Amino acid sequence: MYVLLVFVLYVLIITVNLTLILTVIIENSLHEPMYIFLSNLCLNSLYGTVGFYPKFLLDLQSDTYTITYSWCLTQAYVIYSSVMCEITLLTVMSYDRYVAICRPLQYHSILTPHAVLKLLVVAWAYPLLAIATALVLTVRIPICGSHIRKLFCDNPSILKLGCSLATANQVWSMLHITAYCIQFVLILISYARIVRVCILSSEGRTKRVSA
């Protein structure tokens, strides 16, 4: 029963995301920065589910829940990088909405196809390289344990199996967390300015009508 429910959910996620991606690709009117960023968000969702659902489905059908060290690292990489890519893509999307609403006359001159490409490269490359670096630091540490008490492998759980302190990993994690906290703040600032512009615009229309 659980296997069927998870399988249906996985197929639904794949279907919805693929439908959105193909719609953006096929429909010429949707070849705008906002929809391009949205389709990349859907693509990242597909990428992230690959790191969790296939192994989870196998575990539901098995009596033993084992995974090799290399596959554990791979799963941790896919899941973590997917989460980080989602944050960077949301940051890029918030910037796109900020320019569209707060600087509409300059929108197409700022978000040119070349600029959109550069934003997408950064949004994907930074998380993929950052998580790769974190796992490279993890691989250096000898493993003494073999039990991970989670549904999936993640970097902190792998580090707990290590035989020595992971000081370099902790420093890198703090830098990484700080960078994403800054992105979160940028998202909040972008939408705060959008709300402010919308409120001022609404007040302006009200005053014109009253006059």
Side-chain angles (χ1 to χ4, degrees):
M1 182 62 179
Y2 291 114
V3 176
L4 180 60
L5 288 174
V6 173
F7 178 73
V8 170
L9 178 60
Y10 186 33
V11 171
L12 181 62
I13 291 172
I14 293 174
T15 303
V16 170
N17 284 286
L18 278 179
T19 300
L20 288 171
I21 292 170
L22 291 174
T23 301
V24 172
I25 292 174
I26 294 171
E27 184 59 51
N28 290 331
S29 63
L30 299 180
H31 292 176
E32 294 289 333
M34 179 180 70
Y35 298 108
I36 294 172
F37 294 141
L38 180 61
S39 63
N40 274 265
L41 198 63
C42 294
L43 181 62
N44 179 62
S45 179
L46 291 175
Y47 166 65
T49 56
V50 170
F52 177 74
Y53 281 96
K55 181 63 173 67
F56 186 46
L57 285 168
L58 289 175
D59 287 343
L60 288 175
Q61 300 177 71
S62 176
D63 295 327
T64 58
Y65 312 115
T66 60
I67 188 170
T68 63
Y69 183 57
S70 59
W71 276 111
C72 187
L73 290 171
T74 302
Q75 185 182 58
Y77 177 78
V78 172
I79 292 175
Y80 264 71
S81 59
S82 174
V83 172
M84 297 300 101
C85 280
E86 183 164 351
I87 296 172
T88 54
L89 286 168
L90 288 174
T91 304
V92 168
M93 291 175 73
S94 70
Y95 174 68
D96 168 76
R97 291 301 82 201
Y98 164 75
V99 176
I101 295 173
C102 300
R103 303 172 68 180
L105 298 179
Q106 298 172 293
Y107 182 75
H108 290 291
S109 62
I110 294 175
L111 285 169
T112 62
H114 184 62
V116 170
L117 179 60
K118 288 196 293 185
L119 287 171
L120 286 175
V121 169
V122 172
W124 282 97
Y126 171 64
L128 294 176
L129 292 175
I131 300 302
T133 303
L135 289 182
V136 167
L137 293 173
T138 299
V139 171
R140 301 178 308 111
I141 302 172
I143 297 297
C144 293
S146 60
H147 295 283
I148 293 179
R149 301 183 183 279
K150 285 189 176 181
L151 289 174
F152 58 89
C153 294
D154 62 352
N155 203 37
S157 297
I158 298 172
L159 289 174
K160 288 180 181 179
L161 304 179
C163 306
S164 59
L165 294 175
T167 305
N169 297 72
Q170 293 172 353
V171 172
W172 182 253
S173 294
M174 289 303 299
L175 291 173
H176 202 47
I177 291 171
T178 301
Y180 278 93
C181 285
I182 292 172
Q183 289 187 56
F184 182 70
V185 171
L186 290 175
I187 292 173
L188 291 179
I189 292 173
S190 295
Y191 284 109
R193 290 187 175 182
I194 289 170
V195 171
R196 181 175 178 272
V197 167
C198 292
I199 292 173
L200 292 175
S201 177
S202 177
E203 290 177 347
R205 285 196 298 269
T206 302
K207 289 178 180 178
R208 284 196 295 272
V209 171
S210 299

